């Protein structure tokens, strides 16, 4: 690979492999998630208790970390502990992979929970022309 491609971490989160050996490329994910009880890293004033993590809402924007890839996601539907998420950029991953969920709180992304990929809709990747 050309070193200019890897300079300044430009390939962080990207996957490289032989044709046909990589997992599917997803544009929508169904994630079985678990939310934390309290927000981490939020400063409290005086004797206030840390803020609680509210439930996921339809239409909300989250940040997902899947391996070393960070991408945005819009919540399409939530049912009990299963959420359907539309990704802002396609992600090459596999079912059963762990994900971290973050929410924008006071201009910072804060970890609110984690989950595991159950299903999703894939993107058709055209075969290599070589």
């Amino acid at each position: 690979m050309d070193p200019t491609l890897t300079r300044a971490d430009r390939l962080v989160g990207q996957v490289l492999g032989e044709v046909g050996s990589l997992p599917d490329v997803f544009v929508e994910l169904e994630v079985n998630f678990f939310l934390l009880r309290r927000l981490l890293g939020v400063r409290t004033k005086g004797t206030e208790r840390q803020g609680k993590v509210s439930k996921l809402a339809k239409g909300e924007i989250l940040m997902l970390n899947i391996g070393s890839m960070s991408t945005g996601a819009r919540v399409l539907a939530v049912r009990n502990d299963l959420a359907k998420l539309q990704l802002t950029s396609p992600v090459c991953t596999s079912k059963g992979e762990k994900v971290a969920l973050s929410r924008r709180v006071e201009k910072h992304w804060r970890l609110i929970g984690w989950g595991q990929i159950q299903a999703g809709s894939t993107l058709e990747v055209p075969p290599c022309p070589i």
Side-chain angles (χ1 to χ4, degrees), residues 36-64:
L36 299 173
R37 290 190 187 106
R38 305 233 175 255
L39 281 173
L40 299 175
V42 177
R43 192 168 285 205
T44 57
K45 298 174 185 139
T47 58
E48 278 184 39
R49 296 176 67 194
Q50 280 185 313
K52 287 193 172 192
V53 174
S54 58
K55 294 181 179 180
L56 296 183
K58 186 177 176 182
E60 179 180 17
I61 301 293
L62 300 174
M63 182 173 64
L64 293 184

Side-chain angles (χ1 to χ4, degrees), residues 13 21 28 33 45 48 62 75 89 95 97 106 124 127:
S21 67
E28 280 186 5
F33 67 92
K45 298 174 185 139
E48 278 184 39
L62 300 174
V75 179
S89 60
K95 294 176 185 173
E97 190 76 32
E106 297 174 5
E124 285 300 317

Side-chain angles (χ1 to χ4, degrees), residues 13-14 25-29 64 66 69-74 85-92 123:
Q14 303 300 316
V25 178
F26 290 93
V27 290
E28 280 186 5
L29 293 175
L64 293 184
I66 306 169
M69 178 72 164
S70 295
T71 185
R74 179 181 302 278
L85 307 170
Q86 181 181 25
L87 304 175
T88 56
S89 60
V91 175
C92 181
L123 183 69

Side-chain angles (χ1 to χ4, degrees), residues 2-23:
D2 187 356
T4 59
L5 294 174
T6 59
R7 196 181 88 225
D9 293 335
R10 281 189 270 192
L11 286 180
V12 167
Q14 303 300 316
V15 181
L16 181 67
E18 289 185 35
V19 176
S21 67
L22 293 174

